[in-house]
PDB file of all heavy atoms in Angstrom:
ATOM      1  N   MET A  11       0.877  19.774  10.484  1.00 98.00           N
ATOM      2  CA  MET A  11       1.241  21.172  10.532  1.00 98.00           C
ATOM      3  C   MET A  11       0.003  22.071  10.546  1.00 98.00           C
ATOM      4  O   MET A  11      -0.061  23.054  11.309  1.00 98.00           O
ATOM      5  CB  MET A  11       2.156  21.526   9.358  1.00 98.00           C
ATOM      6  CG  MET A  11       3.482  20.777   9.409  1.00 98.00           C
ATOM      7  SD  MET A  11       4.752  21.459   8.336  1.00 98.00           S
ATOM      8  CE  MET A  11       5.170  22.980   9.203  1.00 98.00           C
ATOM      9  N   ALA A  12      -0.998  21.748   9.745  1.00 98.00           N
ATOM     10  CA  ALA A  12      -2.221  22.549   9.768  1.00 98.00           C
ATOM     11  C   ALA A  12      -2.886  22.457  11.146  1.00 98.00           C
ATOM     12  O   ALA A  12      -3.392  23.467  11.660  1.00 98.00           O
ATOM     13  CB  ALA A  12      -3.166  22.080   8.666  1.00 98.00           C
ATOM     14  N   GLY A  13      -2.879  21.267  11.731  1.00 97.00           N
ATOM     15  CA  GLY A  13      -3.474  21.096  13.036  1.00 97.00           C
ATOM     16  C   GLY A  13      -2.748  21.859  14.130  1.00 97.00           C
ATOM     17  O   GLY A  13      -3.322  22.186  15.161  1.00 97.00           O
ATOM     18  N   ALA A  14      -1.446  22.167  13.897  1.00 97.00           N
ATOM     19  CA  ALA A  14      -0.648  22.914  14.857  1.00 97.00           C
ATOM     20  C   ALA A  14      -0.642  24.417  14.564  1.00 97.00           C
ATOM     21  O   ALA A  14       0.082  25.164  15.218  1.00 97.00           O
ATOM     22  CB  ALA A  14       0.788  22.401  14.859  1.00 97.00           C
ATOM     23  N   GLY A  15      -1.397  24.849  13.566  1.00 96.00           N
ATOM     24  CA  GLY A  15      -1.547  26.273  13.309  1.00 96.00           C
ATOM     25  C   GLY A  15      -0.695  26.849  12.212  1.00 96.00           C
ATOM     26  O   GLY A  15      -0.689  28.063  12.009  1.00 96.00           O
ATOM     27  N   TRP A  16       0.050  26.004  11.490  1.00 97.00           N
ATOM     28  CA  TRP A  16       0.844  26.489  10.355  1.00 97.00           C
ATOM     29  C   TRP A  16      -0.069  26.671   9.141  1.00 97.00           C
ATOM     30  O   TRP A  16      -1.052  25.927   8.954  1.00 97.00           O
ATOM     31  CB  TRP A  16       1.944  25.505  10.002  1.00 97.00           C
ATOM     32  CG  TRP A  16       2.953  25.226  11.076  1.00 97.00           C
ATOM     33  CD1 TRP A  16       2.724  24.573  12.255  1.00 97.00           C
ATOM     34  CD2 TRP A  16       4.339  25.575  11.056  1.00 97.00           C
ATOM     35  NE1 TRP A  16       3.883  24.473  12.975  1.00 97.00           N
ATOM     36  CE2 TRP A  16       4.896  25.096  12.268  1.00 97.00           C
ATOM     37  CE3 TRP A  16       5.158  26.240  10.156  1.00 97.00           C
ATOM     38  CZ2 TRP A  16       6.247  25.244  12.593  1.00 97.00           C
ATOM     39  CZ3 TRP A  16       6.494  26.382  10.465  1.00 97.00           C
ATOM     40  CH2 TRP A  16       7.035  25.912  11.674  1.00 97.00           C
ATOM     41  N   SER A  17       0.275  27.627   8.281  1.00 97.00           N
ATOM     42  CA  SER A  17      -0.455  27.762   7.015  1.00 97.00           C
ATOM     43  C   SER A  17       0.197  26.833   5.990  1.00 97.00           C
ATOM     44  O   SER A  17       1.425  26.859   5.805  1.00 97.00           O
ATOM     45  CB  SER A  17      -0.428  29.214   6.523  1.00 97.00           C
ATOM     46  OG  SER A  17       0.888  29.675   6.320  1.00 97.00           O
ATOM     47  N   VAL A  18      -0.610  26.004   5.346  1.00 98.00           N
ATOM     48  CA  VAL A  18      -0.111  24.896   4.550  1.00 98.00           C
ATOM     49  C   VAL A  18      -0.805  24.856   3.199  1.00 98.00           C
ATOM     50  O   VAL A  18      -2.029  24.980   3.107  1.00 98.00           O
ATOM     51  CB  VAL A  18      -0.325  23.555   5.265  1.00 98.00           C
ATOM     52  CG1 VAL A  18       0.172  22.387   4.426  1.00 98.00           C
ATOM     53  CG2 VAL A  18       0.333  23.547   6.637  1.00 98.00           C
ATOM     54  N   ALA A  19      -0.027  24.642   2.134  1.00 98.00           N
ATOM     55  CA  ALA A  19      -0.584  24.350   0.804  1.00 98.00           C
ATOM     56  C   ALA A  19      -0.048  23.001   0.350  1.00 98.00           C
ATOM     57  O   ALA A  19       1.147  22.726   0.462  1.00 98.00           O
ATOM     58  CB  ALA A  19      -0.184  25.421  -0.194  1.00 98.00           C
ATOM     59  N   VAL A  20      -0.927  22.144  -0.139  1.00 98.00           N
ATOM     60  CA  VAL A  20      -0.543  20.829  -0.656  1.00 98.00           C
ATOM     61  C   VAL A  20      -0.905  20.793  -2.130  1.00 98.00           C
ATOM     62  O   VAL A  20      -2.064  21.054  -2.506  1.00 98.00           O
ATOM     63  CB  VAL A  20      -1.254  19.698   0.104  1.00 98.00           C
ATOM     64  CG1 VAL A  20      -0.836  18.343  -0.471  1.00 98.00           C
ATOM     65  CG2 VAL A  20      -0.956  19.763   1.589  1.00 98.00           C
ATOM     66  N   VAL A  21       0.071  20.450  -2.960  1.00 97.00           N
ATOM     67  CA  VAL A  21      -0.134  20.353  -4.413  1.00 97.00           C
ATOM     68  C   VAL A  21      -0.060  18.870  -4.794  1.00 97.00           C
ATOM     69  O   VAL A  21       0.978  18.236  -4.623  1.00 97.00           O
ATOM     70  CB  VAL A  21       0.929  21.152  -5.198  1.00 97.00           C
ATOM     71  CG1 VAL A  21       0.695  21.027  -6.695  1.00 97.00           C
ATOM     72  CG2 VAL A  21       0.917  22.617  -4.766  1.00 97.00           C
ATOM     73  N   GLU A  22      -1.136  18.325  -5.282  1.00 96.00           N
ATOM     74  CA  GLU A  22      -1.219  16.915  -5.661  1.00 96.00           C
ATOM     75  C   GLU A  22      -1.730  16.803  -7.097  1.00 96.00           C
ATOM     76  O   GLU A  22      -2.791  17.326  -7.440  1.00 96.00           O
ATOM     77  CB  GLU A  22      -2.137  16.153  -4.712  1.00 96.00           C
ATOM     78  CG  GLU A  22      -2.520  14.758  -5.157  1.00 96.00           C
ATOM     79  CD  GLU A  22      -1.328  13.849  -5.451  1.00 96.00           C
ATOM     80  OE1 GLU A  22      -0.414  13.777  -4.608  1.00 96.00           O
ATOM     81  OE2 GLU A  22      -1.293  13.260  -6.553  1.00 96.00           O
ATOM     82  N   LYS A  23      -0.951  16.108  -7.940  1.00 94.00           N
ATOM     83  CA  LYS A  23      -1.289  16.073  -9.364  1.00 94.00           C
ATOM     84  C   LYS A  23      -2.380  15.069  -9.721  1.00 94.00           C
ATOM     85  O   LYS A  23      -3.025  15.198 -10.775  1.00 94.00           O
ATOM     86  CB  LYS A  23      -0.039  15.764 -10.194  1.00 94.00           C
ATOM     87  CG  LYS A  23       0.501  14.363 -10.008  1.00 94.00           C
ATOM     88  CD  LYS A  23       1.718  14.123 -10.899  1.00 94.00           C
ATOM     89  CE  LYS A  23       2.235  12.713 -10.776  1.00 94.00           C
ATOM     90  NZ  LYS A  23       3.397  12.490 -11.647  1.00 94.00           N
ATOM     91  N   ALA A  24      -2.585  14.041  -8.894  1.00 94.00           N
ATOM     92  CA  ALA A  24      -3.576  13.013  -9.214  1.00 94.00           C
ATOM     93  C   ALA A  24      -4.908  13.327  -8.579  1.00 94.00           C
ATOM     94  O   ALA A  24      -4.988  13.992  -7.544  1.00 94.00           O
ATOM     95  CB  ALA A  24      -3.078  11.644  -8.720  1.00 94.00           C
ATOM     96  N   GLN A  25      -5.974  12.853  -9.218  1.00 93.00           N
ATOM     97  CA  GLN A  25      -7.303  12.977  -8.660  1.00 93.00           C
ATOM     98  C   GLN A  25      -7.555  11.746  -7.780  1.00 93.00           C
ATOM     99  O   GLN A  25      -7.316  10.627  -8.206  1.00 93.00           O
ATOM    100  CB  GLN A  25      -8.342  13.053  -9.770  1.00 93.00           C
ATOM    101  CG  GLN A  25      -9.762  13.333  -9.273  1.00 93.00           C
ATOM    102  CD  GLN A  25      -9.898  14.727  -8.686  1.00 93.00           C
ATOM    103  OE1 GLN A  25      -9.634  15.723  -9.350  1.00 93.00           O
ATOM    104  NE2 GLN A  25     -10.322  14.813  -7.424  1.00 93.00           N
ATOM    105  N   PHE A  26      -7.994  11.964  -6.545  1.00 94.00           N
ATOM    106  CA  PHE A  26      -8.335  10.864  -5.652  1.00 94.00           C
ATOM    107  C   PHE A  26      -9.818  10.559  -5.753  1.00 94.00           C
ATOM    108  O   PHE A  26     -10.617  11.454  -6.053  1.00 94.00           O
ATOM    109  CB  PHE A  26      -7.972  11.210  -4.218  1.00 94.00           C
ATOM    110  CG  PHE A  26      -6.497  11.300  -3.931  1.00 94.00           C
ATOM    111  CD1 PHE A  26      -6.030  11.687  -2.681  1.00 94.00           C
ATOM    112  CD2 PHE A  26      -5.552  11.029  -4.919  1.00 94.00           C
ATOM    113  CE1 PHE A  26      -4.678  11.785  -2.404  1.00 94.00           C
ATOM    114  CE2 PHE A  26      -4.189  11.137  -4.662  1.00 94.00           C
ATOM    115  CZ  PHE A  26      -3.751  11.514  -3.387  1.00 94.00           C
ATOM    116  N   PRO A  27     -10.232   9.322  -5.483  1.00 95.00           N
ATOM    117  CA  PRO A  27      -9.398   8.166  -5.152  1.00 95.00           C
ATOM    118  C   PRO A  27      -8.645   7.642  -6.367  1.00 95.00           C
ATOM    119  O   PRO A  27      -9.110   7.732  -7.490  1.00 95.00           O
ATOM    120  CB  PRO A  27     -10.404   7.143  -4.659  1.00 95.00           C
ATOM    121  CG  PRO A  27     -11.688   7.503  -5.342  1.00 95.00           C
ATOM    122  CD  PRO A  27     -11.674   8.988  -5.471  1.00 95.00           C
ATOM    123  N   ARG A  28      -7.454   7.098  -6.100  1.00 92.00           N
ATOM    124  CA  ARG A  28      -6.632   6.524  -7.157  1.00 92.00           C
ATOM    125  C   ARG A  28      -5.954   5.255  -6.657  1.00 92.00           C
ATOM    126  O   ARG A  28      -5.554   5.156  -5.504  1.00 92.00           O
ATOM    127  CB  ARG A  28      -5.575   7.529  -7.635  1.00 92.00           C
ATOM    128  CG  ARG A  28      -4.691   8.140  -6.530  1.00 92.00           C
ATOM    129  CD  ARG A  28      -3.404   7.375  -6.340  1.00 92.00           C
ATOM    130  NE  ARG A  28      -2.637   7.871  -5.194  1.00 92.00           N
ATOM    131  CZ  ARG A  28      -1.663   8.746  -5.298  1.00 92.00           C
ATOM    132  NH1 ARG A  28      -1.330   9.213  -6.474  1.00 92.00           N
ATOM    133  NH2 ARG A  28      -1.004   9.126  -4.212  1.00 92.00           N
ATOM    134  N   ARG A  29      -5.873   4.287  -7.518  1.00 93.00           N
ATOM    135  CA  ARG A  29      -5.091   3.081  -7.237  1.00 93.00           C
ATOM    136  C   ARG A  29      -3.633   3.381  -7.512  1.00 93.00           C
ATOM    137  O   ARG A  29      -3.301   4.232  -8.332  1.00 93.00           O
ATOM    138  CB  ARG A  29      -5.571   1.910  -8.086  1.00 93.00           C
ATOM    139  CG  ARG A  29      -7.004   1.487  -7.816  1.00 93.00           C
ATOM    140  CD  ARG A  29      -7.388   0.308  -8.704  1.00 93.00           C
ATOM    141  NE  ARG A  29      -6.626  -0.887  -8.373  1.00 93.00           N
ATOM    142  CZ  ARG A  29      -6.288  -1.829  -9.251  1.00 93.00           C
ATOM    143  NH1 ARG A  29      -6.625  -1.701 -10.529  1.00 93.00           N
ATOM    144  NH2 ARG A  29      -5.595  -2.878  -8.863  1.00 93.00           N
ATOM    145  N   LYS A  30      -2.754   2.660  -6.842  1.00 93.00           N
ATOM    146  CA  LYS A  30      -1.322   2.910  -6.986  1.00 93.00           C
ATOM    147  C   LYS A  30      -0.551   1.638  -6.688  1.00 93.00           C
ATOM    148  O   LYS A  30      -0.952   0.840  -5.834  1.00 93.00           O
ATOM    149  CB  LYS A  30      -0.909   4.027  -5.998  1.00 93.00           C
ATOM    150  CG  LYS A  30       0.498   4.557  -6.158  1.00 93.00           C
ATOM    151  CD  LYS A  30       0.737   5.715  -5.245  1.00 93.00           C
ATOM    152  CE  LYS A  30       2.166   6.239  -5.347  1.00 93.00           C
ATOM    153  NZ  LYS A  30       2.439   6.811  -6.685  1.00 93.00           N
ATOM    154  N   VAL A  31       0.567   1.444  -7.391  1.00 93.00           N
ATOM    155  CA  VAL A  31       1.434   0.284  -7.136  1.00 93.00           C
ATOM    156  C   VAL A  31       1.994   0.433  -5.727  1.00 93.00           C
ATOM    157  O   VAL A  31       2.719   1.380  -5.428  1.00 93.00           O
ATOM    158  CB  VAL A  31       2.554   0.189  -8.175  1.00 93.00           C
ATOM    159  CG1 VAL A  31       3.521  -0.940  -7.796  1.00 93.00           C
ATOM    160  CG2 VAL A  31       1.998  -0.051  -9.554  1.00 93.00           C
ATOM    161  N   CYS A  32       1.666  -0.534  -4.873  1.00 93.00           N
ATOM    162  CA  CYS A  32       2.032  -0.455  -3.471  1.00 93.00           C
ATOM    163  C   CYS A  32       1.660  -1.757  -2.804  1.00 93.00           C
ATOM    164  O   CYS A  32       0.652  -2.373  -3.166  1.00 93.00           O
ATOM    165  CB  CYS A  32       1.313   0.713  -2.799  1.00 93.00           C
ATOM    166  SG  CYS A  32       1.600   0.881  -1.045  1.00 93.00           S
ATOM    167  N   GLY A  33       2.432  -2.175  -1.791  1.00 92.00           N
ATOM    168  CA  GLY A  33       2.077  -3.378  -1.035  1.00 92.00           C
ATOM    169  C   GLY A  33       0.876  -3.210  -0.163  1.00 92.00           C
ATOM    170  O   GLY A  33       0.228  -4.188   0.224  1.00 92.00           O
ATOM    171  N   GLU A  34       0.563  -1.958   0.218  1.00 95.00           N
ATOM    172  CA  GLU A  34      -0.661  -1.565   0.947  1.00 95.00           C
ATOM    173  C   GLU A  34      -0.679  -1.996   2.405  1.00 95.00           C
ATOM    174  O   GLU A  34      -1.638  -1.684   3.114  1.00 95.00           O
ATOM    175  CB  GLU A  34      -1.923  -2.070   0.225  1.00 95.00           C
ATOM    176  CG  GLU A  34      -2.000  -1.532  -1.192  1.00 95.00           C
ATOM    177  CD  GLU A  34      -3.269  -1.910  -1.935  1.00 95.00           C
ATOM    178  OE1 GLU A  34      -3.707  -3.073  -1.800  1.00 95.00           O
ATOM    179  OE2 GLU A  34      -3.804  -1.047  -2.660  1.00 95.00           O
ATOM    180  N   PHE A  35       0.379  -2.603   2.915  1.00 96.00           N
ATOM    181  CA  PHE A  35       0.423  -2.978   4.317  1.00 96.00           C
ATOM    182  C   PHE A  35       0.935  -1.822   5.159  1.00 96.00           C
ATOM    183  O   PHE A  35       1.892  -1.145   4.793  1.00 96.00           O
ATOM    184  CB  PHE A  35       1.340  -4.207   4.520  1.00 96.00           C
ATOM    185  CG  PHE A  35       1.480  -4.647   5.957  1.00 96.00           C
ATOM    186  CD1 PHE A  35       0.447  -5.300   6.602  1.00 96.00           C
ATOM    187  CD2 PHE A  35       2.657  -4.376   6.672  1.00 96.00           C
ATOM    188  CE1 PHE A  35       0.575  -5.679   7.933  1.00 96.00           C
ATOM    189  CE2 PHE A  35       2.798  -4.763   7.997  1.00 96.00           C
ATOM    190  CZ  PHE A  35       1.752  -5.440   8.623  1.00 96.00           C
ATOM    191  N   LEU A  36       0.304  -1.611   6.294  1.00 95.00           N
ATOM    192  CA  LEU A  36       0.709  -0.552   7.222  1.00 95.00           C
ATOM    193  C   LEU A  36       0.984  -1.184   8.583  1.00 95.00           C
ATOM    194  O   LEU A  36       0.102  -1.731   9.208  1.00 95.00           O
ATOM    195  CB  LEU A  36      -0.403   0.501   7.335  1.00 95.00           C
ATOM    196  CG  LEU A  36      -0.044   1.785   8.073  1.00 95.00           C
ATOM    197  CD1 LEU A  36       1.048   2.549   7.344  1.00 95.00           C
ATOM    198  CD2 LEU A  36      -1.279   2.671   8.199  1.00 95.00           C
ATOM    199  N   SER A  37       2.242  -1.113   9.016  1.00 94.00           N
ATOM    200  CA  SER A  37       2.628  -1.721  10.276  1.00 94.00           C
ATOM    201  C   SER A  37       1.936  -1.027  11.450  1.00 94.00           C
ATOM    202  O   SER A  37       1.550   0.148  11.383  1.00 94.00           O
ATOM    203  CB  SER A  37       4.153  -1.614  10.462  1.00 94.00           C
ATOM    204  OG  SER A  37       4.839  -2.358   9.488  1.00 94.00           O
ATOM    205  N   ALA A  38       1.831  -1.773  12.553  1.00 93.00           N
ATOM    206  CA  ALA A  38       1.243  -1.211  13.770  1.00 93.00           C
ATOM    207  C   ALA A  38       2.039  -0.028  14.296  1.00 93.00           C
ATOM    208  O   ALA A  38       1.497   0.825  15.007  1.00 93.00           O
ATOM    209  CB  ALA A  38       1.150  -2.289  14.842  1.00 93.00           C
ATOM    210  N   THR A  39       3.304   0.071  13.907  1.00 93.00           N
ATOM    211  CA  THR A  39       4.145   1.165  14.393  1.00 93.00           C
ATOM    212  C   THR A  39       3.732   2.521  13.856  1.00 93.00           C
ATOM    213  O   THR A  39       4.176   3.549  14.350  1.00 93.00           O
ATOM    214  CB  THR A  39       5.611   0.901  13.996  1.00 93.00           C
ATOM    215  OG1 THR A  39       5.693   0.647  12.600  1.00 93.00           O
ATOM    216  CG2 THR A  39       6.161  -0.300  14.740  1.00 93.00           C
ATOM    217  N   THR A  40       2.868   2.548  12.848  1.00 94.00           N
ATOM    218  CA  THR A  40       2.394   3.816  12.294  1.00 94.00           C
ATOM    219  C   THR A  40       1.022   4.208  12.839  1.00 94.00           C
ATOM    220  O   THR A  40       0.582   5.356  12.666  1.00 94.00           O
ATOM    221  CB  THR A  40       2.347   3.747  10.751  1.00 94.00           C
ATOM    222  OG1 THR A  40       3.611   3.283  10.273  1.00 94.00           O
ATOM    223  CG2 THR A  40       2.087   5.093  10.112  1.00 94.00           C
ATOM    224  N   VAL A  41       0.363   3.294  13.527  1.00 94.00           N
ATOM    225  CA  VAL A  41      -0.991   3.594  14.043  1.00 94.00           C
ATOM    226  C   VAL A  41      -0.982   4.778  15.009  1.00 94.00           C
ATOM    227  O   VAL A  41      -1.933   5.581  14.997  1.00 94.00           O
ATOM    228  CB  VAL A  41      -1.576   2.329  14.683  1.00 94.00           C
ATOM    229  CG1 VAL A  41      -2.884   2.644  15.377  1.00 94.00           C
ATOM    230  CG2 VAL A  41      -1.802   1.257  13.613  1.00 94.00           C
ATOM    231  N   PRO A  42       0.043   4.984  15.860  1.00 94.00           N
ATOM    232  CA  PRO A  42       0.033   6.180  16.728  1.00 94.00           C
ATOM    233  C   PRO A  42      -0.055   7.491  15.944  1.00 94.00           C
ATOM    234  O   PRO A  42      -0.622   8.471  16.435  1.00 94.00           O
ATOM    235  CB  PRO A  42       1.338   6.084  17.507  1.00 94.00           C
ATOM    236  CG  PRO A  42       1.623   4.615  17.561  1.00 94.00           C
ATOM    237  CD  PRO A  42       1.151   4.087  16.234  1.00 94.00           C
ATOM    238  N   ILE A  43       0.497   7.536  14.722  1.00 96.00           N
ATOM    239  CA  ILE A  43       0.396   8.729  13.913  1.00 96.00           C
ATOM    240  C   ILE A  43      -1.047   8.924  13.448  1.00 96.00           C
ATOM    241  O   ILE A  43      -1.574  10.041  13.456  1.00 96.00           O
ATOM    242  CB  ILE A  43       1.369   8.670  12.716  1.00 96.00           C
ATOM    243  CG1 ILE A  43       2.812   8.562  13.223  1.00 96.00           C
ATOM    244  CG2 ILE A  43       1.199   9.895  11.834  1.00 96.00           C
ATOM    245  CD1 ILE A  43       3.830   8.390  12.127  1.00 96.00           C
ATOM    246  N   LEU A  44      -1.703   7.836  13.056  1.00 96.00           N
ATOM    247  CA  LEU A  44      -3.112   7.919  12.689  1.00 96.00           C
ATOM    248  C   LEU A  44      -3.934   8.401  13.873  1.00 96.00           C
ATOM    249  O   LEU A  44      -4.879   9.188  13.720  1.00 96.00           O
ATOM    250  CB  LEU A  44      -3.599   6.561  12.210  1.00 96.00           C
ATOM    251  CG  LEU A  44      -3.047   6.079  10.874  1.00 96.00           C
ATOM    252  CD1 LEU A  44      -3.370   4.614  10.651  1.00 96.00           C
ATOM    253  CD2 LEU A  44      -3.591   6.933   9.723  1.00 96.00           C
ATOM    254  N   ALA A  45      -3.591   7.925  15.080  1.00 95.00           N
ATOM    255  CA  ALA A  45      -4.299   8.379  16.265  1.00 95.00           C
ATOM    256  C   ALA A  45      -4.097   9.864  16.480  1.00 95.00           C
ATOM    257  O   ALA A  45      -5.016  10.586  16.829  1.00 95.00           O
ATOM    258  CB  ALA A  45      -3.811   7.582  17.481  1.00 95.00           C
ATOM    259  N   ARG A  46      -2.868  10.329  16.261  1.00 95.00           N
ATOM    260  CA  ARG A  46      -2.584  11.773  16.395  1.00 95.00           C
ATOM    261  C   ARG A  46      -3.425  12.598  15.434  1.00 95.00           C
ATOM    262  O   ARG A  46      -3.824  13.730  15.737  1.00 95.00           O
ATOM    263  CB  ARG A  46      -1.080  12.001  16.155  1.00 95.00           C
ATOM    264  CG  ARG A  46      -0.608  13.441  16.148  1.00 95.00           C
ATOM    265  CD  ARG A  46      -0.617  14.058  17.534  1.00 95.00           C
ATOM    266  NE  ARG A  46      -0.072  15.396  17.527  1.00 95.00           N
ATOM    267  CZ  ARG A  46       1.184  15.709  17.814  1.00 95.00           C
ATOM    268  NH1 ARG A  46       2.038  14.742  18.166  1.00 95.00           N
ATOM    269  NH2 ARG A  46       1.606  16.936  17.786  1.00 95.00           N
ATOM    270  N   LEU A  47      -3.708  12.036  14.262  1.00 97.00           N
ATOM    271  CA  LEU A  47      -4.508  12.730  13.249  1.00 97.00           C
ATOM    272  C   LEU A  47      -6.019  12.560  13.464  1.00 97.00           C
ATOM    273  O   LEU A  47      -6.804  13.103  12.711  1.00 97.00           O
ATOM    274  CB  LEU A  47      -4.149  12.220  11.862  1.00 97.00           C
ATOM    275  CG  LEU A  47      -2.700  12.414  11.410  1.00 97.00           C
ATOM    276  CD1 LEU A  47      -2.486  11.813  10.021  1.00 97.00           C
ATOM    277  CD2 LEU A  47      -2.318  13.879  11.422  1.00 97.00           C
ATOM    278  N   GLY A  48      -6.392  11.755  14.473  1.00 96.00           N
ATOM    279  CA  GLY A  48      -7.804  11.508  14.694  1.00 96.00           C
ATOM    280  C   GLY A  48      -8.411  10.508  13.758  1.00 96.00           C
ATOM    281  O   GLY A  48      -9.620  10.500  13.532  1.00 96.00           O
ATOM    282  N   LEU A  49      -7.565   9.606  13.207  1.00 97.00           N
ATOM    283  CA  LEU A  49      -8.025   8.675  12.167  1.00 97.00           C
ATOM    284  C   LEU A  49      -7.904   7.195  12.566  1.00 97.00           C
ATOM    285  O   LEU A  49      -8.160   6.334  11.729  1.00 97.00           O
ATOM    286  CB  LEU A  49      -7.244   8.910  10.865  1.00 97.00           C
ATOM    287  CG  LEU A  49      -7.503  10.232  10.153  1.00 97.00           C
ATOM    288  CD1 LEU A  49      -6.524  10.379   8.976  1.00 97.00           C
ATOM    289  CD2 LEU A  49      -8.932  10.292   9.641  1.00 97.00           C
ATOM    290  N   GLU A  50      -7.503   6.926  13.796  1.00 95.00           N
ATOM    291  CA  GLU A  50      -7.257   5.528  14.158  1.00 95.00           C
ATOM    292  C   GLU A  50      -8.511   4.685  14.031  1.00 95.00           C
ATOM    293  O   GLU A  50      -8.501   3.594  13.437  1.00 95.00           O
ATOM    294  CB  GLU A  50      -6.716   5.428  15.587  1.00 95.00           C
ATOM    295  CG  GLU A  50      -6.406   4.005  16.002  1.00 95.00           C
ATOM    296  CD  GLU A  50      -5.817   3.895  17.416  1.00 95.00           C
ATOM    297  OE1 GLU A  50      -5.791   4.929  18.112  1.00 95.00           O
ATOM    298  OE2 GLU A  50      -5.374   2.802  17.783  1.00 95.00           O
ATOM    299  N   ALA A  51      -9.633   5.136  14.559  1.00 95.00           N
ATOM    300  CA  ALA A  51     -10.866   4.365  14.490  1.00 95.00           C
ATOM    301  C   ALA A  51     -11.321   4.200  13.046  1.00 95.00           C
ATOM    302  O   ALA A  51     -11.759   3.108  12.633  1.00 95.00           O
ATOM    303  CB  ALA A  51     -11.954   5.038  15.326  1.00 95.00           C
ATOM    304  N   THR A  52     -11.217   5.261  12.254  1.00 96.00           N
ATOM    305  CA  THR A  52     -11.602   5.199  10.834  1.00 96.00           C
ATOM    306  C   THR A  52     -10.750   4.183  10.084  1.00 96.00           C
ATOM    307  O   THR A  52     -11.255   3.395   9.281  1.00 96.00           O
ATOM    308  CB  THR A  52     -11.465   6.575  10.189  1.00 96.00           C
ATOM    309  OG1 THR A  52     -12.253   7.519  10.920  1.00 96.00           O
ATOM    310  CG2 THR A  52     -11.928   6.537   8.736  1.00 96.00           C
ATOM    311  N   TYR A  53      -9.443   4.187  10.380  1.00 96.00           N
ATOM    312  CA  TYR A  53      -8.538   3.237   9.707  1.00 96.00           C
ATOM    313  C   TYR A  53      -8.880   1.802  10.091  1.00 96.00           C
ATOM    314  O   TYR A  53      -8.975   0.949   9.191  1.00 96.00           O
ATOM    315  CB  TYR A  53      -7.106   3.589  10.114  1.00 96.00           C
ATOM    316  CG  TYR A  53      -6.111   2.471   9.888  1.00 96.00           C
ATOM    317  CD1 TYR A  53      -5.676   2.146   8.600  1.00 96.00           C
ATOM    318  CD2 TYR A  53      -5.599   1.748  10.967  1.00 96.00           C
ATOM    319  CE1 TYR A  53      -4.776   1.128   8.394  1.00 96.00           C
ATOM    320  CE2 TYR A  53      -4.679   0.726  10.745  1.00 96.00           C
ATOM    321  CZ  TYR A  53      -4.267   0.421   9.488  1.00 96.00           C
ATOM    322  OH  TYR A  53      -3.382  -0.581   9.298  1.00 96.00           O
ATOM    323  N   HIS A  54      -9.067   1.530  11.386  1.00 95.00           N
ATOM    324  CA  HIS A  54      -9.334   0.161  11.788  1.00 95.00           C
ATOM    325  C   HIS A  54     -10.681  -0.335  11.215  1.00 95.00           C
ATOM    326  O   HIS A  54     -10.817  -1.515  10.883  1.00 95.00           O
ATOM    327  CB  HIS A  54      -9.370   0.056  13.309  1.00 95.00           C
ATOM    328  CG  HIS A  54      -8.015   0.048  13.940  1.00 95.00           C
ATOM    329  ND1 HIS A  54      -7.022  -0.844  13.554  1.00 95.00           N
ATOM    330  CD2 HIS A  54      -7.454   0.826  14.903  1.00 95.00           C
ATOM    331  CE1 HIS A  54      -5.936  -0.631  14.266  1.00 95.00           C
ATOM    332  NE2 HIS A  54      -6.161   0.388  15.079  1.00 95.00           N
TER     333      HIS A  54
END
């Protein structure tokens, strides 16, 4: 939304970086979203 010109506020209670209970696997089906955000190369 910020990249599309919307004004955005994000409220996050934890300080990053933080560990979290999670399987941590990200399917290939989500990589196009990372590409849209300009993060595909960084992620890989």
Side-chain angles (χ1 to χ4, degrees):
M11 297 196 72
W16 299 68
S17 59
V18 179
V20 179
V21 180
E22 168 55 50
K23 68 178 182 180
Q25 186 67 57
F26 290 177
R28 53 93 186 264
R29 296 180 66 210
K30 189 175 178 65
V31 175
C32 176
E34 301 185 319
F35 178 74
L36 190 64
S37 296
T39 52
T40 308
V41 173
I43 299 176
L44 291 168
R46 175 72 176 264
L47 300 178
L49 292 173
E50 181 178 8
T52 303
Y53 162 74
H54 283 306

